[in-house]
Amino acid sequence: RDVIERMTAPAKAKEPQLTARQLDILRLIVKGHRMKEIAANLGLSTRTVEGYKYEMMETLEVTSTAELVRYALDRRLIMD
């Protein structure tokens, strides 16, 4: 019965897509950089970087930075 249910279940929605800038910020978060460091590295304000982070968290439906990092690593969004 489980096999039949899986075969007839609607296809899963596509993975949410992140922008190139969001991926840049996510890569630095995964590497352990602080928001202030990321902002300086990318020439942005700390507040802007935090905004990107929270947008990613909302898009990916995670509630903490740790979950955001785990999501990125589990799905191999960050390769280096």
Side-chain angles (χ1 to χ4, degrees):
R1 181 170 165 102
D2 287 0
V3 173
I4 293 171
E5 287 175 8
R6 283 189 299 228
M7 290 173 58
T8 58
K12 286 187 178 179
K14 282 177 52 175
E15 285 284 323
Q17 296 296 308
L18 298 178
T19 66
R21 176 61 88 186
Q22 287 173 325
L23 287 170
D24 289 341
I25 291 169
L26 183 55
R27 186 173 297 110
L28 294 170
I29 290 171
V30 168
K31 287 183 176 184
H33 293 273
R34 299 183 186 276
M35 295 296 113
K36 193 172 184 177
E37 295 171 325
I38 295 169
N41 187 314
L42 298 177
L44 301 170
S45 74
T46 302
R47 194 168 178 133
T48 298
V49 172
E50 289 171 349
Y52 276 114
K53 177 183 136 184
Y54 289 114
E55 284 175 14
M56 282 187 280
M57 290 172 65
E58 188 173 295
T59 298
L60 302 176
E61 299 178 353
V62 299
T63 58
S64 69
T65 303
E67 282 184 88
L68 183 62
V69 169
R70 173 55 48 202
Y71 186 100
L73 294 173
D74 285 349
R75 287 164 180 79
R76 298 174 193 237
L77 298 179
I78 306 304
M79 294 296 181
D80 51 26

